[in-house]
Every structure is written in structure tokens, then in C-alpha cells.
């Protein structure tokens, strides 16, 4: 198939003012998504020849074309700004702090989810797993954790797998540890974030005694890997879900995730209902 194949979207291709760096970034994201030049050209409705010229620095994409390729490559908003800067354009996505008045509606939505999920635990994390907020149930499950691990900013991955954190109380630690590692690997593959890569390395080096992990074997007919947590009230079992904002155009919102946990059995549900009676409302972490 020649360079004219899949040609359709020709807007924004220029043969002057080449920027080799932006081409290298596009190639890196294409390879990260495991796409050939032909695959991406067909998906984006451009010619393989033009795409090749862009990747090799022989042609410069317009802002419109950069955003078009970034959309088809599912590049995170933060990295889309990097692409724009490499192409000689101003970034277009803003990154506001969560406290910014412009994000008031989003903050209200987050708090509604946190409070509405009680008496079950729920928390909010950023792209590096820093806990930003939680509901009133979360502290009830952290009573035995070393205060040093809870010193802000609290990284939820460290809190979970550190021997001073929840790790000694996770009955099925081997299963849950592997589950978290797979989530981190998926995030790293999707975002190319070096901070997450360093975090994974750090967590994999934490002391881990596989012989102490004695949770129930994974049931192939089940729906999810449970988190089985030993507490003064017995072993509580949870299944987790992750919620993200569907159409964010702000970097902060695009990187927020709400981690919510549901009881995996009726006993856990009953214990949490009893523990939740009379506690204060959802609060910031």
C-alpha cells in the first residue's frame, strides 16, 4: 500500500519550519499504543507519507493536526500540552488546583460521591495516587496504621503495601499486591509517567512475606479480586471500582480518580453499617 493510502484528512500539514522533537514524540506515542504508521494513518484519515514526514521532522503539523493525532493516540491532556510546546504552539489545557473556584461544581460532585457512598469507604486520588479526600469510613479502617505513613501527603499505594501500613492486615496480600502492580503498569503504559515508574520500582522493593498471605483462592467465576482486610471486627471483604470524569478539559480533573469500595459479603456490609453510626461527615485528607 503506497503513501496515498488512507488519505483523507489533509488539513494542517506543512512542509516548512520542521520540528524534529514533535515528530519524535508522535512516533513514541504511536509505538506506545502499538500502532504502525499505516494503522495510525488509517485511523486518523491522513496519508502514511505525511505521517512519516512529520515523525522524521521533514514536515511540521499545525496545531489542529497535532490535536487530531493526539486524540487518536489517546494522549493524556498533560502530554498534549507537551506535544503543542514541542510543535511551537502554546499549551491549551489548563491545570487548576482543586480548590480553584472554577472547579467548584467538580468538587461538589466529588463530595456527593464520597458522602453518598457511606457507610462504605471511598477516597479521591490524583495521577500519582496521592490521597486528596476521603469519606468518614476510611479513617475507621486505618486505626492501626503507623502515623508516619499517614503523614501528608499520603500515597495510597505506599499506605497499602508498606509493612507499616495496611500490608500486615491484608489477608490476601499476594493477590492484592499483584493487582495493584498490574494497575500501575497499565497506568505507566498509558501515560509514560516517570513518577509512576519510580513508584512501582519502590513498591516492588518493599519487604514482602508471601507465606503470610493466605487469602481465599481466586474464584474464576467471581467478578473481581477482593480486598480482604483483617480488623478487630473480623475479616472484611471489599470489591473496588474506579470512577473518573468523563469529558474533562482541565488537567487536574482529567487526572482525578474516585476509588470506591463495596462490601463483598453481607457480613462486611453489616459491620460497616454499625461502624458508620454517629461518625462525622466526609472530610478532606
Amino acid at each position: 500500500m503506497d503513501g496515498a493510502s488512507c488519505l483523507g484528512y489533509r488539513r494542517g500539514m506543512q512542509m516548512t519550519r520542521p520540528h524534529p522533537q514533535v515528530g519524535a514524540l508522535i512516533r513514541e506515542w504511536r509505538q506506545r499504543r502499538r500502532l504502525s504508521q499505516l494503522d495510525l494513518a488509517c485511523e486518523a484519515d491522513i496519508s502514511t507519507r505525511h505521517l512519516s514526514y512529520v515523525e522524521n521532522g521533514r514536515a511540521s503539523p499545525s496545531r489542529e493536526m497535532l490535536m487530531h493525532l493526539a486524540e487518536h493516540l489517546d494522549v493524556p491532556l498533560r502530554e498534549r500540552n507537551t506535544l503543542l510546546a514541542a510543535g511551537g504552539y502554546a499549551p491549551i489545557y489548563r491545570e487548576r488546583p482543586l480548590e480553584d473556584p472554577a472547579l467548584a461544581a467538580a468538587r461538589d460532585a466529588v463530595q456527593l460521591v464520597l458522602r453518598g457512598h457511606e457507610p462504605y469507604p471511598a477516597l479521591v486520588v490524583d495521577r500519582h495516587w496521592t490521597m486528596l479526600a476521603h469519606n468518614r469510613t476510611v479513617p475507621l479502617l486505618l486505626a492501626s496504621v503507623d502515623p508516619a505513613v499517614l503523614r501528608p501527603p499520603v500515597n495510597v499505594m505506599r499506605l497499602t503495601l508498606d509493612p507499616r501500613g495496611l500490608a500486615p492486615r491484608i489477608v490476601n496480600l499476594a493477590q492484592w499486591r499483584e493487582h495493584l502492580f498490574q494497575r500501575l503498569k497499565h497506568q505507566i503504559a498509558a501515560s509514560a509517567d516517570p513518577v509512576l515508574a519510580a513508584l512501582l520500582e519502590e513498591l516492588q522493593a518493599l519487604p514482602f512475606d508471601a507465606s503470610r498471605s493466605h487469602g481465599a483462592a481466586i474464584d474464576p467465576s467471581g467478578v473481581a479480586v477482593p480486598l480482604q482486610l483483617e480488623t478487630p471486627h473480623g475479616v472484611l471483604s471489599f470489591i473496588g471500582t474506579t470512577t473518573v470524569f468523563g469529558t474533562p478539559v482541565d488537567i487536574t480533573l482529567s487526572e482525578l480518580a474516585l476509588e470506591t469500595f463495596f462490601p463483598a459479603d453481607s457480613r462486611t456490609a453489616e459491620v460497616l453499617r454499625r461502624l458508620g453510626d454517629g461518625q462525622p461527615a466526609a472530610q478532606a485528607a
Side-chain angles (χ1 to χ4, degrees):
M1 207 170 282
D2 63 26
S5 301
C6 304
L7 177 60
Y9 192 104
R10 282 185 168 273
R11 290 175 289 166
M13 303 305 299
Q14 303 172 25
M15 300 303 293
T16 59
R17 195 172 51 86
H19 293 275
Q21 184 185 1
V22 73
L25 288 173
I26 291 171
R27 180 171 58 249
E28 180 182 322
W29 280 106
R30 175 178 61 76
Q31 292 171 342
R32 184 172 289 277
R33 299 297 183 245
R34 302 182 183 278
L35 295 172
S36 67
Q37 283 188 343
L38 179 59
D39 291 333
L40 179 56
C42 288
E43 287 190 15
D45 199 19
I46 64 175
S47 78
T48 53
R49 179 177 298 171
H50 281 163
L51 179 58
S52 177
Y53 280 176
V54 169
E55 290 191 0
N56 293 328
R58 296 175 62 187
S60 293
S62 67
R63 181 198 300 267
E64 180 187 31
M65 177 57 72
L66 266 182
M67 291 298 92
H68 181 66
L69 291 173
E71 184 71 25
H72 284 278
L73 289 168
D74 196 24
V75 177
L77 299 191
R78 181 180 297 276
E79 302 308 321
R80 294 187 193 194
N81 277 349
T82 301
L83 274 177
L84 286 167
Y89 305 108
I92 62 175
Y93 297 104
R94 293 189 60 183
E95 181 179 10
R96 304 171 178 89
L98 194 54
E99 299 77 24
D100 191 289
L103 299 184
R107 286 197 310 275
D108 290 345
V110 166
Q111 287 299 318
L112 280 172
V113 173
L114 293 178
R115 286 192 293 264
H117 197 65
E118 294 172 357
Y120 310 140
L123 51 95
V124 182
V125 296
D126 65 13
R127 74 188 191 280
H128 293 146
W129 288 89
T130 302
M131 184 159 61
L132 303 179
H134 58 73
N135 67 8
R136 66 179 185 172
T137 307
V138 171
L140 302 178
L141 302 177
L142 303 179
S144 65
V145 170
D146 188 323
V149 184
L150 294 175
R151 194 172 298 129
V154 176
N155 183 280
V156 172
M157 287 286 187
R158 290 194 191 99
L159 170 64
T160 304
L161 298 181
D162 193 304
R164 301 168 300 166
L166 288 175
R169 292 172 46 203
I170 299 177
V171 178
N172 60 330
L173 181 58
Q175 294 171 358
W176 194 250
R177 182 174 179 266
E178 184 58 30
H179 164 68
L180 294 185
F181 287 169
Q182 289 303 316
R183 285 196 64 178
L184 271 176
K185 290 174 183 176
H186 178 76
Q187 284 183 279
I188 293 165
S191 68
D193 192 321
V195 175
L196 289 178
L199 177 61
L200 176 61
E201 233 180 282
E202 174 193 334
L203 296 174
Q204 288 174 326
L206 287 173
F208 169 63
D209 183 0
S211 66
R212 294 190 67 252
S213 183
H214 54 278
I218 294 294
D219 179 3
S221 65
V223 296
V225 176
L227 169 62
Q228 298 169 328
L229 193 64
E230 191 174 349
T231 76
H233 310 277
V235 174
L236 303 182
S237 187
F238 302 92
I239 55 175
T241 66
T242 302
T243 303
V244 296
F245 283 88
T247 54
V249 291
D250 179 274
I251 292 175
T252 298
L253 284 190
S254 74
E255 295 173 344
L256 283 185
L258 287 89
E259 300 290 327
T260 51
F261 293 87
F262 293 84
D265 54 48
S266 57
R267 185 182 174 282
T268 297
E270 178 57 31
V271 169
L272 290 174
R273 278 194 291 268
R274 286 192 284 107
L275 287 177
D277 288 343
Q279 298 297 321
Q283 57 188 9

